[in-house]
Amino acid sequence: MTVSVWGPVHQDMTALLTGQPDDVPAVVDQLTKLQDILERVPPLLCSNPLADFNKLYLHITTTVLDRLYEGRFADPAFLSRLDVEFAARYFEALRHWSQGSAACPRVWSVLFHRVGGPDCRPLPSAAAGVNAHINFDLPFALVTTFDYFGSDPVDDGDQHADYLQINEIFADAIPGLRRGYLEKWQLLIDTINGDLDDWWQGETIEYARNVAWRNGQRLWSVRHDLPATAKERERLDSNAAALGRLLLSPLGALLQ
Amino acid sequence: MDSVGDDAPLVGRTATLDAIRTDLLDTGPGGTAAVFVTGESGVGKSRLLRETADALRAGGTAVLTGTCLDIGDASPLHPVLQALRRRGSAVTEVDGDAGALLERVSRELRAVAGERHLLLVLDDLQWADRSTRQLLLYLLAGLGDVRLSVLAAVRAESLQGTHPLRRVLAELRRLRWVRVVDLAPLDRAGTQELVTAIAGDGVEAEDADRVFKRSGGNPFVAEELARDLRDGRVELSDTLREIFLSRVDELDPQAHAVVHAVAAGVEPVEHPVLARVLTLPEDRLIEGIRNAVAHRFVVGAPDGYRLRHRLVAEVLEHQVLPAEQAVLHRRYAEALEATGSADHTRLAHHWQQAGEPQRALPSVVAAAHAAERLYGFAEAHRYWSLALDLSCDASTDRTELLAHAAESAHQCGEHQRALTRLEELAARPDGPGECEIHLRRARYLAAAGRSVTAEIEYEKALAVPACTPGEKATAAAYLAELLLHLGRYADAGARAREALRLAEADGTTADLVRASAALGFSEAFREDPDAGLAVIRHAVEIAERSGHPDDLGCAYLHLAELLTGPLNSLEEGVLVARRGAQKLAEMGVGRSYQTRLLAIAANGLFRVGQWAEAERVIDTAMRHRPSGADAVELLLARCRLWVGFGDIEAADRDLDAVATVLAGGGARHVLPMLTLRAGLAMWQGRHAEARAAVQRGLTETRSDDLVLMGILAWHGLRAEAEAHAAGGTVDPSAVRRLTTVVDRMTRGVANAAPPVRAVIDGYQDLCAAELSRIEDRHDPHPWARAAAVWDKRQQPYPAAYARLRMAEASFARKGKRSAAITALREAYATAQAMGAKPFAAEIAAVAARARVTLGEPDAVAATPAPDAGDPLGVLTGREREVLAKVAEGLTNKEIGQQLFISERTVGVHVGHIFDKLQVRTRVQASRVYLGAV
């Protein structure tokens, strides 16, 4: 075997990824441990782009967990399961990457490739992770979650409302990031094409997540049809990967 | 994927093979085990399956083998039924329900196995239909009472994305007796060994190395490349596609035709069918087949021909012109029709692929009906949808197809699809009337959880002038039920009354029962339990007169739920549930209702502390071989008993079984399962595990489900208190979260209906008391209050638990010893009577610390085992007690006062005693009693 992608933390990483969290507290726990490991990956250590994303994701999941305890969701069982399914995809992508498997979605490989450098700005890194997670993983997580509950994705139900509540959590998390990380962001947003503008600004996450909801509904309708699902997966992966590459390109670095 | 007759040696898999064999025989407590082999195509999964099967067969295991089909529309349970057919047993349709079908299949499997252990081998599981997946979970949970191991292969490529197996495997792999083996490609050394084995020792090291690089260690590819090496062929490509295409080109025309024909067929392709598909003279056909076999494309078995590897079919598919493909499929369809095949699925597939949808239609419709007869609603729905795709707008049967498609979608949980179909149906000029459309739409909406729109639809149905009173009664009854679920008790009552009024004229019994139940519950929740009870009792009478099993089961279920639920009249609820189950059993119908009624009885018996009786009831219910949600309900009830009895192994087994069934979906039961896990972990002193189970439960509890929240919060606080008492650390953030939950309960309980409030109060008291324990306050008062509340609810277990803690707190505080000793002894007597071993042990430990003697334990171990000669043996423990009082000449009222049950309940007991002893008066009953004791 060639040198591990994780360098000296390879063993820790492999051990951590054997865990398959099945509830939200366990997801938070796993993300916390992952953060610790990621910050030890040379050469970038704490400025490793994946650590930037993971930090944001950990923050968001912790908020979700708090809201679950506070009873803020209409259908917590649904939301918990979605959170678990959602995270499982991220962990699985990491697992595939660790094993050098071709099954690792391209949209994630784009980001994972950058773990070893060159250095990348935190915001575009986090954004690339959010992109992979929302534009690619989320629709699939939605489908498996609905399948588990034997219900289906219907607009305006309890589950849709809960799902949209996550928008708030993302929106709350991101201005903080922005204050911490960037000034020129706003300027750059204006110069980039409308798609990305929509994606990031104002309706940013909301826009992307609504797209994910629609994509989820589309996947749902073909979920028994394996070739069609594979095709859909391919489409989502290559679209999201293109966006991810853009975010991590020198253009993305300008964002900061 | 078949590669029978492989001559290449099996390389680099010895360890895996041994491990799989050991895992398959290392069954869990349920007597089952499973190994799922995943890996890319060609990595050798099928070979591994075959080798393992051979080895186990040689060791005396019965082996059944089936393969899932990639034709997308396989019939329900295809691989298992196919495996059984090969052994000469057949399962066609079954009367009853989906559970009866599962039981029927299990019976066939038991018959095949006989005394032996059974190995069920399933290849290409990624193509398994939903019914097959459910059957697997049913069997693995031990519900089919078949001692079996399952060995299945899954293509890794398929598990990407949303494949339903992916989640099932993720859930199952948590169980100790389930293994998921990821089969990796061969390493360099392994590949080299394979190459040498095929091409001989003379192979240059660098050639072997090239094979490794080009094949990536995939044994299937490596083998083919090694053969080229041996035969001195220069291979230009390393993709499978090109390897095979160059091989195909070498075939003679007949063999070429055979390979293409088998590739287009549904395997196994029987010889007579192949003969009709290929219009070759017999001798040339045989020659072609021989040649195809010799070139390792096709393998022959008694039941027909298959490709050596399904990958070949995928490669060839792109090599054939669409027109050629269509002709092949048409010939297949004609051949199947000519040979009189009844395989509608296969016929439909070929006609469709032949581009002749019109001719496919009858087969598709037949396949849909066949799937419905096997309770494969998901599969049936696919066929109805396909039938719709095949029929044109103007077609006369389109309306009927739409109606079927909508209903099957509803039944398999595709609510959105059902609604879409219904809209199309509504637009048909010859579609059903406005009223029926509203009713169906409302039902579908309610099933999808869209209550608000469902309510509007029911109201529309009620407002349409064209609706008959009967239809309106149905609408009002359903609406009342919906409102009840939404907690709008007053509205539900009003609608239920409307339904009853409408149904008086020409309503069905089903509507009457539904409306009465809704009214009963709404009254009970609104503080007029007697009125509610009267209505449901009336419904039971009506159902008894109608004699229809559904009505009867439904009415009894509602009555038993009302009594054991909001009215907390546990003993009577248990009696009613058992009587209902008995009635249905005598009629030999309503298996599912019987199971559910017995589950209610068992849960009631658990709560009143009659655990041995509860165990007997569950045993009876288990003999019905329940499946799905019913099975989960019973397993949970039984597990609750094991936790109470302290039988850890049995409790673990049932929790595993529940988890297995739930891997197929079923969120409703996750919370009770977690509660039991927490309870079990606490008796084992595993506080972290208990804490984790509770935390997960709390994040998944709806804020309006106060009862579940109460149970979980209490379990959570108790876990912290026990951890503290055991000298461990209390998790402050866990306590903080738990107190948040208790606060939420306090806020919520203000708006709750009185019966709900009563239960919550009990848990709130327990929570407050546990908090005092965590804070080392040693305060007996909150415990005394909790004990009183649970006494009032006639639930001895939590009451006795509160007494134990009360005594413990008093001793710690050096308070009044006599009260504490009494409480401790009472708790001990209760624990002994129930058989609650771990609880009794804990009481004994506290007593020992406080130097208190608990008295004669055996004196309390009550009811002697009934022996056959005893005329009172048919009576339950409680019935004997009542009869003893009857013999003393007491009235029902006096008996009720003495036994702390209602006069009404005594009446029901007396009725049962009369039935069982076959007497008609109290005097006769007393005589039997006095003669026996």
Side-chain angles (χ1 to χ4, degrees), chain B residues 310-341:
Chain B
R310 233 15 237 179
L311 276 175
V312 176
E314 283 157 35
V315 170
L316 292 182
E317 205 183 287
H318 301 286
Q319 281 318 105
V320 185
L321 294 173
E324 287 178 89
Q325 197 76 13
V327 169
L328 268 178
H329 282 293
R330 198 196 67 234
R331 291 218 198 115
Y332 262 113
E334 285 165 353
L336 286 170
E337 282 182 352
T339 51
S341 163

Side-chain angles (χ1 to χ4, degrees), chain A residues 28-87:
Chain A
V28 169
D29 188 50
Q30 182 128 328
L31 287 172
T32 311
K33 289 180 182 144
L34 185 57
Q35 185 66 27
D36 173 61
I37 294 176
L38 287 174
E39 291 180 0
R40 287 188 282 126
V41 180
L44 300 177
L45 304 174
C46 291
S47 58
N48 152 12
L50 188 54
D52 291 324
F53 163 71
N54 196 70
K55 194 167 168 185
L56 172 68
Y57 189 32
L58 172 60
H59 171 78
I60 286 165
T61 313
T62 313
T63 315
V64 170
L65 180 61
D66 289 343
R67 289 199 183 196
L68 280 168
Y69 281 122
E70 289 159 20
R72 301 262 292 268
F73 296 103
D75 188 346
F78 165 79
L79 203 91
S80 298
R81 173 56 64 164
L82 179 61
D83 194 278
V84 169
E85 292 283 344
F86 193 32

Side-chain angles (χ1 to χ4, degrees), chain B residues 732-754:
Chain B
S733 64
V735 175
R736 182 173 47 79
R737 288 192 195 114
L738 288 163
T739 32
T740 316
V741 173
V742 175
D743 291 345
R744 266 167 65 193
M745 260 159 61
T746 316
R747 278 198 303 278
V749 81
N751 307 319

Side-chain angles (χ1 to χ4, degrees), chain B residues 604-672:
Chain B
L605 285 165
F606 177 84
R607 276 147 72 194
V608 297
Q610 297 183 35
W611 292 4
E613 191 66 21
E615 194 185 344
R616 270 195 287 281
V617 170
I618 292 174
D619 274 352
T620 316
M622 275 296 178
R623 260 177 258 136
H624 295 160
R625 300 218 177 285
S627 61
D630 293 349
V632 171
E633 206 86 55
L634 272 177
L635 287 168
L636 287 169
R638 190 164 70 182
C639 181
R640 197 168 293 125
L641 279 174
W642 301 142
V643 174
F645 287 142
D647 188 339
I648 288 164
E649 196 184 313
D652 264 336
R653 183 192 64 210
D654 282 352
L655 282 173
D656 272 5
V658 169
T660 308
V661 181
L662 291 186
R668 196 158 58 88
H669 294 104
V670 169
L671 292 176

